[in-house]
Amino acid sequence: MATTTGSYFHLHMISDSTGETLITVARAVAAQYSNVSPVEHVYPLVRSQKQLDRVLAEIEEAPGIVLFTLLEKDLVERLEAKCQEINIPSLSIIGPVMQLFQAYLGTETSRRVGAQHTLNAEYFKRIDALNYSMMHDDGQHVEGLEEADVVLVGVSRTSKTPTSIYLANRGVRTANVPLVPGIPIPHQLETLKKPLVVSLHATPERLIQVRQNRLLGIGRTGDDTYIDRQAVTEEVAFARKLSAKFDWALLDVTRRSIEETAAAIMKLYADRQRQKASQT
């Protein structure tokens, strides 16, 4: 069985829905293999034999690993038979989990395609959180900060905006406010009661590296203060002093991805909610 061509291999992901589940799982596993990279072939909304025909043709043309989240039995059987015929591996990502649920619950699944994307209350909660986070990005509309679940603060390039958007996608109403030495923080930030305020910080070395990349990306090279070691160190110290003064939660994002930062914030938020519940 041919597994790779050079440092690449073909990875086919077939879904009867959006394919988000497949992509997330596949990339999490592929990231563990630093010496090879997948050439991704994503096929969403495959729900008929005709649609599967095109997929099978592409798989045969570029053999590789096949992952799928199909619920229609006939489609699954045909896909697996084709993979066996051309001697390539295939795996249902949700099949084993569904079997486990079925064995434990003692009941068949509804086999409803895209059930996780139903327009329910949770969906509209995410949309509301996204709208809120976009409106309250980078210190905008500070008069509405009390309506947030989480407020992120930090100096420039501590990933406040992308973390806010990621949290909003999980249904967490998130605002973010920049901390800039010499500029007073909004008075609303000093008196917040409901939201969890999290101060994101990083080492000066990391901030300088990210800022240099940012300046290069926008074609600017002359902003010395923005990447000056002493100035950046003072910014970090300023942010830490404010965090101590107002008892904000501190989170070091120096070596964290956006996903890891968001996960840590959600844990802090969940812990705070449990603590509040126990006091009532």
Side-chain angles (χ1 to χ4, degrees):
M1 184 186 302
T3 54
T4 63
T5 301
S7 58
Y8 296 91
F9 67 96
H10 292 282
L11 177 59
H12 299 272
M13 295 175 276
I14 308 141
S15 173
D16 49 22
S17 186
T18 63
E20 292 177 19
T21 302
L22 271 175
I23 293 169
T24 300
V25 173
R27 288 180 179 173
V29 176
Q32 301 300 315
Y33 296 87
S34 57
N35 295 327
V36 290
S37 300
V39 178
E40 295 183 353
H41 306 261
V42 183
Y43 314 94
L45 304 173
V46 177
R47 300 177 181 178
S48 70
Q49 293 290 349
K50 186 175 181 180
Q51 290 169 325
L52 186 60
D53 287 341
R54 179 179 64 86
V55 174
L56 296 179
E58 292 197 27
I59 291 174
E60 193 161 16
E61 187 176 332
I65 295 174
V66 175
L67 302 177
F68 61 92
T69 53
L70 301 175
L71 295 179
E72 178 59 48
K73 186 178 179 181
D74 291 343
L75 296 179
V76 172
E77 289 178 350
R78 188 169 170 222
L79 174 61
E80 290 180 330
K82 186 64 175 180
C83 290
Q84 189 172 4
E85 177 189 326
I86 60 178
N87 196 29
I88 60 173
S90 65
L91 178 68
S92 170
I93 294 300
I94 63 173
V97 180
M98 288 176 61
Q99 291 171 8
L100 179 65
F101 272 54
Q102 183 177 327
Y104 183 78
L105 300 174
T107 183
E108 289 282 348
T109 67
S110 65
R111 295 193 176 273
R112 185 156 52 97
V113 172
Q116 73 271 37
H117 302 296
T118 303
L119 301 183
N120 55 16
E122 189 65 28
Y123 174 83
F124 289 108
K125 180 182 177 183
R126 292 203 309 272
I127 297 301
D128 173 69
L130 275 168
N131 287 335
Y132 178 87
S133 296
M134 295 292 285
M135 185 177 292
H136 295 83
D137 179 45
D138 201 29
Q140 299 181 80
H141 301 288
V142 291
E143 67 279 359
L145 288 180
E146 191 64 48
E147 300 168 13
D149 297 317
V150 172
V151 176
L152 304 181
V153 298
V155 301
S156 175
R157 300 290 107 186
T158 48
S159 301
K160 297 184 297 298
T161 293
T163 304
S164 295
I165 299 303
Y166 189 96
L167 288 169
N169 270 297
R170 302 292 297 273
V172 181
R173 289 162 64 94
T174 310
N176 71 82
V177 179
L179 301 180
V180 183
I183 298 179
I185 63 173
H187 68 87
Q188 292 90 343
L189 197 55
E190 302 178 18
T191 57
L192 292 177
K193 302 297 181 185
K194 173 181 169 286
L196 167 69
V197 182
V198 181
S199 178
L200 306 182
H201 64 100
T203 63
E205 293 78 12
R206 177 58 177 166
L207 288 174
I208 291 169
Q209 179 188 30
V210 175
R211 290 179 181 187
Q212 284 175 332
N213 290 337
R214 170 62 175 164
L215 290 176
L216 287 172
I218 61 177
R220 287 172 56 190
T221 56
D223 197 342
D224 294 336
T225 305
Y226 191 57
I227 55 176
D228 176 73
R229 170 66 187 235
Q230 183 61 35
V232 175
T233 301
E234 289 174 3
E235 280 188 68
V236 172
F238 166 74
R240 284 182 171 275
K241 286 178 182 177
L242 280 178
S243 300
K245 178 180 179 180
F246 296 106
D247 197 27
W248 296 333
L250 272 173
L251 187 61
D252 188 347
V253 300
T254 302
R255 298 186 181 277
R256 292 182 194 262
S257 65
I258 301 301
E259 294 84 354
E260 290 170 329
T261 299
I265 292 169
M266 290 188 73
K267 184 179 185 306
L268 289 171
Y269 180 66
D271 290 345
R272 188 169 186 262
Q273 294 300 96
R274 280 194 294 270
Q275 184 179 8
K276 279 186 175 181
S278 67
Q279 293 173 349
T280 58

